[in-house]
Amino acid sequence: MLVLITYDVSVISEGGQRRLRKVAKICQKYGQRVQNSVFECVINTTQFAQLQMELLASIDEDCDSLRFYRLGDNYKAKVQHIGVNNAVDIEGPLLF
Amino acid sequence: MLVLITYDVSVISEGGQRRLRKVAKICQKYGQRVQNSVFECVINTTQFAQLQMELLASIDEDCDSLRFYRLGDNYKAKVQHIGVNNAVDIEGPLLF
């Protein structure tokens, strides 16, 4: 399934920059950055639970926020992009 | 249906700050800010088309990006929030 993760990490709070880097690094293990604070991950339920656990351990719940959106397996028609595109098709073939 | 909008506006490009304010203002007309660059809008197909048209006219497609995620009508179980919460239930009763 596709899981969309969006986050706001308070970089002005103590340790904020470190947490921001940590959150991005964890998300990168599971998926693809599509915008600055937005990741798309094609993962199963077990990986989703693992990802949530890692993220929960890395944020400060009093300052930061995480949102998860489960878009299911048939997600391609539900997603639309306009403008500059830094993402790749995470399920497509890799071209070098 | 719930439409999630995420955006990256290049604030270092010419007019970027102005475009960022414009994009946020348009999104606010249709929905609820849930994170810095993330809005949730409960809208119909006509409103969605209108919103897209307004946003398209406001961004610079060479520097900025918009993403739209259509989560359908049964979206409540698909969305999960962790951490500090600045959003409200957009379909719930208003409490003063």
Side-chain angles (χ1 to χ4, degrees):
Chain A
M1 64 176 164
L2 178 68
V3 176
L4 181 74
I5 305 162
T6 65
Y7 55 82
D8 267 354
V9 173
S10 168
V11 289
I12 53 165
S13 65
E14 201 190 329
Q17 288 288 356
R18 186 184 47 74
R19 293 198 307 280
L20 183 66
R21 282 193 300 273
K22 189 84 185 284
V23 166
K25 207 174 161 186
I26 293 167
C27 291
Q28 265 159 354
K29 283 200 302 179
Y30 292 87
Q32 171 71 38
R33 174 174 255 153
V34 291
Q35 282 177 341
N36 270 333
S37 303
V38 182
F39 278 80
E40 287 180 4
C41 307
V42 178
I43 50 181
N44 60 34
T45 313
T46 313
Q47 290 168 318
F48 184 33
Q50 176 69 26
L51 167 59
Q52 282 188 308
M53 215 167 57
E54 289 185 44
L55 287 175
L56 252 170
S58 306
I59 64 161
D60 178 339
E61 289 184 53
D62 294 329
C63 326
D64 311 329
S65 82
L66 288 168
R67 285 181 87 83
F68 301 98
Y69 298 88
R70 288 186 293 105
L71 282 112
D73 291 322
N74 300 312
Y75 53 83
K76 289 201 174 166
K78 299 174 189 164
V79 184
Q80 195 180 345
H81 181 93
I82 292 170
V84 65
N85 197 340
N86 300 318
V88 296
D89 180 354
I90 43 181
E91 288 192 315
L94 283 173
L95 296 173
F96 296 98
Chain B
M1 65 175 163
L2 176 68
V3 176
L4 180 75
I5 305 163
T6 66
Y7 55 82
D8 267 353
V9 173
S10 168
V11 289
I12 53 166
S13 66
E14 202 190 330
Q17 288 288 355
R18 185 184 48 75
R19 292 197 308 278
L20 183 66
R21 282 194 300 274
K22 189 84 185 284
V23 166
K25 207 173 162 186
I26 293 166
C27 291
Q28 265 158 354
K29 281 201 303 179
Y30 291 87
Q32 172 70 40
R33 174 174 256 153
V34 292
Q35 282 177 340
N36 270 332
S37 303
V38 182
F39 278 80
E40 287 180 2
C41 308
V42 178
I43 49 180
N44 61 33
T45 313
T46 313
Q47 290 168 318
F48 184 33
Q50 177 68 26
L51 167 60
Q52 283 189 307
M53 213 168 58
E54 288 185 47
L55 287 175
L56 252 171
S58 306
I59 64 161
D60 178 339
E61 289 185 54
D62 294 329
C63 325
D64 311 330
S65 83
L66 290 169
R67 285 182 86 84
F68 302 97
Y69 297 88
R70 287 186 294 105
L71 282 113
D73 291 322
N74 300 312
Y75 53 83
K76 288 201 175 167
K78 298 175 189 164
V79 184
Q80 196 180 344
H81 181 93
I82 292 171
V84 66
N85 198 340
N86 300 317
V88 297
D89 180 355
I90 43 182
E91 287 190 316
L94 283 173
L95 297 174
F96 296 99

